[in-house]
Amino acid sequence: MNYNIAVIPGDGIGPEVIRETVKVLDRIADKFGHKFSYQQLLAGGVAIDQTGKALPEDTLSACKSSDSVLLGAVGGWKWDDLAGDKRPETALLSLRKALKLYANIRPALLFEELASACPLKPEIIKDGLDLVVVRELTGGIYFGEKGTKETDMGPAAYDVELYSEKEVRRIAHTAFDVASKRNKKVTSVDKANVLESSRLWRRVVSETAKEYPHIELNNMYVDNAAMQLVRDPKQFDVIVTSNIFGDILSDEASQITGSIGLLPSASLASGNFGMYEPVHGSAPDLAGRDKANPMAAILSAAMMLRYSFGLLEESDEIGSAVRKVLKKGYRTPDLMEPSSAGKEVGTKEAGDLIAEEICPFILSAGKA
Ligand code: NAD
Ligand code: IPM
Ligand code: MN
């Protein structure tokens, strides 16, 4: 099959991790007889520098006519002083909104091979960790009214958290559907003891739960959820939460799995269309140094094969290639522990090793 993939490398380590991801996708194409056509597009800081706009119109229209979007990361120190509506991050937010990507799926899986990279005690993690954060992605405080005004305490700024019943219901359905295929447990995270928007959230999620009698629903306040994630993360199966709480909790969950450099994500519209991006950012501290872990981006491509293209075997092939490389002891610097005997590799070598696991014959033939 032929697939058209819109590729947005972005800023910082984005281009480095996307280069390795495309390398891995090409091996999948060779092995399984697919054709992936990539259209490289500008967005973020690099687009500001070259076109004056964080999200050029060409980029948005190319994404709309693609089969799916693969994105590295946007943002960086260079653009940190720009006005809020001119920053590189607006490209990402506008893409999510314009492409109607309301459901952000962020699986946090602790690979057996990385058990010792988990900062929690072994007795907390026992035989591993496998949870999914389902984050609402096109509503809430990210997209509510915002502005500045004068107050009796001087100049002030505000951002409004607003959720409609419809927005909450559709993300609740996503979470219950995800849980139906997993351990049948949803924890809805809110701040209903204080926020009106959270009380609406809790009511609508609880109403929606009635359509899924086989799923257990728990409601939890976000402060408690942040604490429970490090006290007893194994109690979670699917966490469903708002845009801002999901942003924060998914970074916390990522570190439990060893590194933010491992966590992939899928941002889905209704239907098969999606944008796939690692949970991490542009890591300006690592950019251009061959130190970034490309696994989050590579695993995001695996999610693309699964969710947008329905290529389950191909998707699993990428997941197992990543695991084999970890099992052999290769570690990017973020996964190196002082006491471990891991073999340290850079971004490029990690990508080569993963690609080689997918198509050993072709690569070793090339080397001979
Ligand atoms: P970050 O995720 O870029 O980095 C946080 C820490 O994690 C840093 O120490 C970094 O070195 C490390 N890290 C991140 N990715 C890694 C990887 N693949 N391998 C190894 N280590 C990795 O978050 P930040 O520093 O808060 O943000 C930097 C910039 O990225 C900001 O401009 C922010 O707005 C942007 N950002 C973009 C996205 C995105 O485009 N999806 C996501 C988050 C942050
Ligand atoms: C993420 C990022 C983005 C977010 C930023 C860069 C706009 O942190 O995807 O997690 O807050 O959604
Ligand atoms: Mn984030």
Side-chain angles (χ1 to χ4, degrees), residues 194-216:
V194 177
L195 303 178
E196 205 54 47
S197 52
S198 276
R199 285 189 275 274
L200 180 143
W201 177 283
R202 188 173 282 216
R203 174 173 58 74
V204 174
V205 173
S206 303
E207 281 165 17
T208 312
K210 294 187 186 128
E211 296 173 43
Y212 299 83
H214 59 296
I215 308 270
E216 177 190 337

PDB file of all heavy atoms in Angstrom, residues 194-216:
ATOM      1  N   VAL A 194     -12.882  22.058  43.421  1.00  0.00           N
ATOM      2  CA  VAL A 194     -12.674  23.511  43.317  1.00  0.00           C
ATOM      3  C   VAL A 194     -13.261  24.093  42.026  1.00  0.00           C
ATOM      4  O   VAL A 194     -13.874  25.159  42.049  1.00  0.00           O
ATOM      5  CB  VAL A 194     -11.155  23.844  43.369  1.00  0.00           C
ATOM      6  CG1 VAL A 194     -10.923  25.336  43.197  1.00  0.00           C
ATOM      7  CG2 VAL A 194     -10.530  23.361  44.683  1.00  0.00           C
ATOM      8  N   LEU A 195     -13.080  23.400  40.905  1.00  0.00           N
ATOM      9  CA  LEU A 195     -13.391  24.005  39.606  1.00  0.00           C
ATOM     10  C   LEU A 195     -14.758  23.592  39.067  1.00  0.00           C
ATOM     11  O   LEU A 195     -15.082  22.399  39.021  1.00  0.00           O
ATOM     12  CB  LEU A 195     -12.324  23.601  38.577  1.00  0.00           C
ATOM     13  CG  LEU A 195     -10.865  23.943  38.928  1.00  0.00           C
ATOM     14  CD1 LEU A 195      -9.933  23.425  37.836  1.00  0.00           C
ATOM     15  CD2 LEU A 195     -10.702  25.452  39.108  1.00  0.00           C
ATOM     16  N   GLU A 196     -15.513  24.580  38.600  1.00  0.00           N
ATOM     17  CA  GLU A 196     -16.826  24.326  37.996  1.00  0.00           C
ATOM     18  C   GLU A 196     -16.660  23.447  36.746  1.00  0.00           C
ATOM     19  O   GLU A 196     -17.436  22.519  36.518  1.00  0.00           O
ATOM     20  CB  GLU A 196     -17.444  25.686  37.620  1.00  0.00           C
ATOM     21  CG  GLU A 196     -18.944  25.700  37.541  1.00  0.00           C
ATOM     22  CD  GLU A 196     -19.651  25.198  38.795  1.00  0.00           C
ATOM     23  OE1 GLU A 196     -19.296  25.607  39.911  1.00  0.00           O
ATOM     24  OE2 GLU A 196     -20.555  24.369  38.634  1.00  0.00           O
ATOM     25  N   SER A 197     -15.640  23.760  35.940  1.00  0.00           N
ATOM     26  CA  SER A 197     -15.419  22.991  34.705  1.00  0.00           C
ATOM     27  C   SER A 197     -15.137  21.529  35.042  1.00  0.00           C
ATOM     28  O   SER A 197     -15.520  20.623  34.302  1.00  0.00           O
ATOM     29  CB  SER A 197     -14.256  23.586  33.915  1.00  0.00           C
ATOM     30  OG  SER A 197     -13.116  23.712  34.747  1.00  0.00           O
ATOM     31  N   SER A 198     -14.481  21.268  36.187  1.00  0.00           N
ATOM     32  CA  SER A 198     -14.200  19.895  36.592  1.00  0.00           C
ATOM     33  C   SER A 198     -15.464  19.197  37.093  1.00  0.00           C
ATOM     34  O   SER A 198     -15.611  17.984  36.945  1.00  0.00           O
ATOM     35  CB  SER A 198     -13.150  19.875  37.705  1.00  0.00           C
ATOM     36  OG  SER A 198     -11.846  19.944  37.179  1.00  0.00           O
ATOM     37  N   ARG A 199     -16.369  19.971  37.695  1.00  0.00           N
ATOM     38  CA  ARG A 199     -17.618  19.327  38.149  1.00  0.00           C
ATOM     39  C   ARG A 199     -18.422  18.869  36.933  1.00  0.00           C
ATOM     40  O   ARG A 199     -18.989  17.782  36.930  1.00  0.00           O
ATOM     41  CB  ARG A 199     -18.416  20.291  39.050  1.00  0.00           C
ATOM     42  CG  ARG A 199     -17.785  20.404  40.442  1.00  0.00           C
ATOM     43  CD  ARG A 199     -18.658  21.163  41.417  1.00  0.00           C
ATOM     44  NE  ARG A 199     -18.475  22.596  41.340  1.00  0.00           N
ATOM     45  CZ  ARG A 199     -17.541  23.292  41.998  1.00  0.00           C
ATOM     46  NH1 ARG A 199     -16.698  22.677  42.805  1.00  0.00           N
ATOM     47  NH2 ARG A 199     -17.444  24.597  41.862  1.00  0.00           N
ATOM     48  N   LEU A 200     -18.431  19.704  35.881  1.00  0.00           N
ATOM     49  CA  LEU A 200     -19.112  19.286  34.646  1.00  0.00           C
ATOM     50  C   LEU A 200     -18.399  18.053  34.079  1.00  0.00           C
ATOM     51  O   LEU A 200     -19.023  17.073  33.678  1.00  0.00           O
ATOM     52  CB  LEU A 200     -19.102  20.438  33.637  1.00  0.00           C
ATOM     53  CG  LEU A 200     -19.770  20.150  32.292  1.00  0.00           C
ATOM     54  CD1 LEU A 200     -20.495  21.412  31.792  1.00  0.00           C
ATOM     55  CD2 LEU A 200     -18.797  19.685  31.219  1.00  0.00           C
ATOM     56  N   TRP A 201     -17.078  18.104  34.077  1.00  0.00           N
ATOM     57  CA  TRP A 201     -16.263  16.986  33.559  1.00  0.00           C
ATOM     58  C   TRP A 201     -16.646  15.692  34.268  1.00  0.00           C
ATOM     59  O   TRP A 201     -16.944  14.676  33.645  1.00  0.00           O
ATOM     60  CB  TRP A 201     -14.780  17.318  33.781  1.00  0.00           C
ATOM     61  CG  TRP A 201     -13.839  16.235  33.355  1.00  0.00           C
ATOM     62  CD1 TRP A 201     -13.558  15.080  34.026  1.00  0.00           C
ATOM     63  CD2 TRP A 201     -13.061  16.192  32.149  1.00  0.00           C
ATOM     64  NE1 TRP A 201     -12.649  14.326  33.323  1.00  0.00           N
ATOM     65  CE2 TRP A 201     -12.327  14.989  32.174  1.00  0.00           C
ATOM     66  CE3 TRP A 201     -12.903  17.065  31.063  1.00  0.00           C
ATOM     67  CZ2 TRP A 201     -11.450  14.634  31.134  1.00  0.00           C
ATOM     68  CZ3 TRP A 201     -12.026  16.702  30.045  1.00  0.00           C
ATOM     69  CH2 TRP A 201     -11.320  15.499  30.085  1.00  0.00           C
ATOM     70  N   ARG A 202     -16.676  15.745  35.608  1.00  0.00           N
ATOM     71  CA  ARG A 202     -16.935  14.538  36.406  1.00  0.00           C
ATOM     72  C   ARG A 202     -18.346  14.001  36.145  1.00  0.00           C
ATOM     73  O   ARG A 202     -18.559  12.798  35.998  1.00  0.00           O
ATOM     74  CB  ARG A 202     -16.742  14.847  37.898  1.00  0.00           C
ATOM     75  CG  ARG A 202     -16.794  13.620  38.760  1.00  0.00           C
ATOM     76  CD  ARG A 202     -16.438  13.908  40.198  1.00  0.00           C
ATOM     77  NE  ARG A 202     -15.008  14.043  40.413  1.00  0.00           N
ATOM     78  CZ  ARG A 202     -14.352  13.635  41.510  1.00  0.00           C
ATOM     79  NH1 ARG A 202     -15.008  13.050  42.481  1.00  0.00           N
ATOM     80  NH2 ARG A 202     -13.047  13.812  41.645  1.00  0.00           N
ATOM     81  N   ARG A 203     -19.317  14.926  36.052  1.00  0.00           N
ATOM     82  CA  ARG A 203     -20.699  14.492  35.817  1.00  0.00           C
ATOM     83  C   ARG A 203     -20.821  13.809  34.454  1.00  0.00           C
ATOM     84  O   ARG A 203     -21.411  12.730  34.327  1.00  0.00           O
ATOM     85  CB  ARG A 203     -21.633  15.725  35.903  1.00  0.00           C
ATOM     86  CG  ARG A 203     -23.075  15.426  35.537  1.00  0.00           C
ATOM     87  CD  ARG A 203     -24.012  16.603  35.799  1.00  0.00           C
ATOM     88  NE  ARG A 203     -23.680  17.844  35.115  1.00  0.00           N
ATOM     89  CZ  ARG A 203     -23.860  18.071  33.819  1.00  0.00           C
ATOM     90  NH1 ARG A 203     -24.372  17.131  33.045  1.00  0.00           N
ATOM     91  NH2 ARG A 203     -23.531  19.250  33.286  1.00  0.00           N
ATOM     92  N   VAL A 204     -20.221  14.422  33.420  1.00  0.00           N
ATOM     93  CA  VAL A 204     -20.384  13.869  32.066  1.00  0.00           C
ATOM     94  C   VAL A 204     -19.626  12.539  31.932  1.00  0.00           C
ATOM     95  O   VAL A 204     -20.137  11.584  31.327  1.00  0.00           O
ATOM     96  CB  VAL A 204     -19.926  14.901  30.998  1.00  0.00           C
ATOM     97  CG1 VAL A 204     -19.944  14.281  29.608  1.00  0.00           C
ATOM     98  CG2 VAL A 204     -20.817  16.139  31.052  1.00  0.00           C
ATOM     99  N   VAL A 205     -18.447  12.452  32.525  1.00  0.00           N
ATOM    100  CA  VAL A 205     -17.700  11.178  32.445  1.00  0.00           C
ATOM    101  C   VAL A 205     -18.508  10.091  33.167  1.00  0.00           C
ATOM    102  O   VAL A 205     -18.647   8.967  32.664  1.00  0.00           O
ATOM    103  CB  VAL A 205     -16.280  11.313  33.046  1.00  0.00           C
ATOM    104  CG1 VAL A 205     -15.586   9.950  33.126  1.00  0.00           C
ATOM    105  CG2 VAL A 205     -15.433  12.280  32.221  1.00  0.00           C
ATOM    106  N   SER A 206     -19.095  10.435  34.321  1.00  0.00           N
ATOM    107  CA  SER A 206     -19.864   9.438  35.082  1.00  0.00           C
ATOM    108  C   SER A 206     -21.114   9.007  34.311  1.00  0.00           C
ATOM    109  O   SER A 206     -21.470   7.827  34.294  1.00  0.00           O
ATOM    110  CB  SER A 206     -20.256   9.999  36.459  1.00  0.00           C
ATOM    111  OG  SER A 206     -19.087  10.390  37.145  1.00  0.00           O
ATOM    112  N   GLU A 207     -21.762   9.959  33.630  1.00  0.00           N
ATOM    113  CA  GLU A 207     -22.933   9.598  32.799  1.00  0.00           C
ATOM    114  C   GLU A 207     -22.514   8.666  31.657  1.00  0.00           C
ATOM    115  O   GLU A 207     -23.161   7.663  31.374  1.00  0.00           O
ATOM    116  CB  GLU A 207     -23.539  10.859  32.156  1.00  0.00           C
ATOM    117  CG  GLU A 207     -24.413  11.679  33.081  1.00  0.00           C
ATOM    118  CD  GLU A 207     -24.691  13.084  32.511  1.00  0.00           C
ATOM    119  OE1 GLU A 207     -24.492  13.311  31.274  1.00  0.00           O
ATOM    120  OE2 GLU A 207     -25.073  13.949  33.313  1.00  0.00           O
ATOM    121  N   THR A 208     -21.398   9.011  31.019  1.00  0.00           N
ATOM    122  CA  THR A 208     -20.930   8.211  29.874  1.00  0.00           C
ATOM    123  C   THR A 208     -20.573   6.797  30.324  1.00  0.00           C
ATOM    124  O   THR A 208     -20.781   5.818  29.590  1.00  0.00           O
ATOM    125  CB  THR A 208     -19.703   8.897  29.207  1.00  0.00           C
ATOM    126  OG1 THR A 208     -20.017  10.271  29.015  1.00  0.00           O
ATOM    127  CG2 THR A 208     -19.358   8.265  27.875  1.00  0.00           C
ATOM    128  N   ALA A 209     -20.072   6.681  31.544  1.00  0.00           N
ATOM    129  CA  ALA A 209     -19.655   5.371  32.073  1.00  0.00           C
ATOM    130  C   ALA A 209     -20.814   4.377  32.089  1.00  0.00           C
ATOM    131  O   ALA A 209     -20.599   3.161  31.982  1.00  0.00           O
ATOM    132  CB  ALA A 209     -19.093   5.534  33.477  1.00  0.00           C
ATOM    133  N   LYS A 210     -22.047   4.889  32.197  1.00  0.00           N
ATOM    134  CA  LYS A 210     -23.210   3.976  32.259  1.00  0.00           C
ATOM    135  C   LYS A 210     -23.346   3.163  30.985  1.00  0.00           C
ATOM    136  O   LYS A 210     -23.933   2.091  30.978  1.00  0.00           O
ATOM    137  CB  LYS A 210     -24.487   4.772  32.522  1.00  0.00           C
ATOM    138  CG  LYS A 210     -24.471   5.409  33.909  1.00  0.00           C
ATOM    139  CD  LYS A 210     -25.802   6.048  34.253  1.00  0.00           C
ATOM    140  CE  LYS A 210     -25.679   6.789  35.574  1.00  0.00           C
ATOM    141  NZ  LYS A 210     -26.138   8.163  35.531  1.00  0.00           N
ATOM    142  N   GLU A 211     -22.791   3.703  29.871  1.00  0.00           N
ATOM    143  CA  GLU A 211     -22.843   2.950  28.607  1.00  0.00           C
ATOM    144  C   GLU A 211     -21.782   1.846  28.571  1.00  0.00           C
ATOM    145  O   GLU A 211     -21.718   1.077  27.623  1.00  0.00           O
ATOM    146  CB  GLU A 211     -22.617   3.894  27.422  1.00  0.00           C
ATOM    147  CG  GLU A 211     -23.698   4.946  27.278  1.00  0.00           C
ATOM    148  CD  GLU A 211     -23.351   5.960  26.192  1.00  0.00           C
ATOM    149  OE1 GLU A 211     -22.869   5.547  25.107  1.00  0.00           O
ATOM    150  OE2 GLU A 211     -23.551   7.164  26.440  1.00  0.00           O
ATOM    151  N   TYR A 212     -20.920   1.810  29.586  1.00  0.00           N
ATOM    152  CA  TYR A 212     -19.827   0.826  29.614  1.00  0.00           C
ATOM    153  C   TYR A 212     -19.844   0.088  30.954  1.00  0.00           C
ATOM    154  O   TYR A 212     -18.928   0.234  31.767  1.00  0.00           O
ATOM    155  CB  TYR A 212     -18.473   1.523  29.434  1.00  0.00           C
ATOM    156  CG  TYR A 212     -18.324   2.276  28.120  1.00  0.00           C
ATOM    157  CD1 TYR A 212     -18.827   3.578  27.988  1.00  0.00           C
ATOM    158  CD2 TYR A 212     -17.696   1.697  27.021  1.00  0.00           C
ATOM    159  CE1 TYR A 212     -18.696   4.279  26.794  1.00  0.00           C
ATOM    160  CE2 TYR A 212     -17.558   2.392  25.825  1.00  0.00           C
ATOM    161  CZ  TYR A 212     -18.063   3.678  25.721  1.00  0.00           C
ATOM    162  OH  TYR A 212     -17.928   4.362  24.530  1.00  0.00           O
ATOM    163  N   PRO A 213     -20.886  -0.715  31.208  1.00  0.00           N
ATOM    164  CA  PRO A 213     -21.005  -1.348  32.529  1.00  0.00           C
ATOM    165  C   PRO A 213     -19.848  -2.290  32.861  1.00  0.00           C
ATOM    166  O   PRO A 213     -19.613  -2.573  34.029  1.00  0.00           O
ATOM    167  CB  PRO A 213     -22.334  -2.114  32.427  1.00  0.00           C
ATOM    168  CG  PRO A 213     -22.668  -2.166  30.984  1.00  0.00           C
ATOM    169  CD  PRO A 213     -21.984  -1.035  30.300  1.00  0.00           C
ATOM    170  N   HIS A 214     -19.124  -2.745  31.844  1.00  0.00           N
ATOM    171  CA  HIS A 214     -18.003  -3.668  32.098  1.00  0.00           C
ATOM    172  C   HIS A 214     -16.731  -2.929  32.486  1.00  0.00           C
ATOM    173  O   HIS A 214     -15.705  -3.553  32.748  1.00  0.00           O
ATOM    174  CB  HIS A 214     -17.749  -4.524  30.851  1.00  0.00           C
ATOM    175  CG  HIS A 214     -17.430  -3.712  29.626  1.00  0.00           C
ATOM    176  ND1 HIS A 214     -18.327  -2.834  29.058  1.00  0.00           N
ATOM    177  CD2 HIS A 214     -16.307  -3.636  28.870  1.00  0.00           C
ATOM    178  CE1 HIS A 214     -17.770  -2.258  28.003  1.00  0.00           C
ATOM    179  NE2 HIS A 214     -16.542  -2.717  27.880  1.00  0.00           N
ATOM    180  N   ILE A 215     -16.772  -1.593  32.487  1.00  0.00           N
ATOM    181  CA  ILE A 215     -15.580  -0.811  32.829  1.00  0.00           C
ATOM    182  C   ILE A 215     -15.751  -0.201  34.212  1.00  0.00           C
ATOM    183  O   ILE A 215     -16.803   0.366  34.527  1.00  0.00           O
ATOM    184  CB  ILE A 215     -15.368   0.351  31.824  1.00  0.00           C
ATOM    185  CG1 ILE A 215     -15.384  -0.147  30.392  1.00  0.00           C
ATOM    186  CG2 ILE A 215     -14.090   1.151  32.167  1.00  0.00           C
ATOM    187  CD1 ILE A 215     -14.101  -0.562  29.820  1.00  0.00           C
ATOM    188  N   GLU A 216     -14.697  -0.306  35.018  1.00  0.00           N
ATOM    189  CA  GLU A 216     -14.719   0.317  36.341  1.00  0.00           C
ATOM    190  C   GLU A 216     -14.257   1.774  36.203  1.00  0.00           C
ATOM    191  O   GLU A 216     -13.232   2.047  35.591  1.00  0.00           O
ATOM    192  CB  GLU A 216     -13.741  -0.463  37.240  1.00  0.00           C
ATOM    193  CG  GLU A 216     -13.589   0.100  38.624  1.00  0.00           C
ATOM    194  CD  GLU A 216     -12.412  -0.574  39.372  1.00  0.00           C
ATOM    195  OE1 GLU A 216     -12.017  -1.716  39.007  1.00  0.00           O
ATOM    196  OE2 GLU A 216     -11.893   0.070  40.292  1.00  0.00           O
TER     197      GLU A 216
END
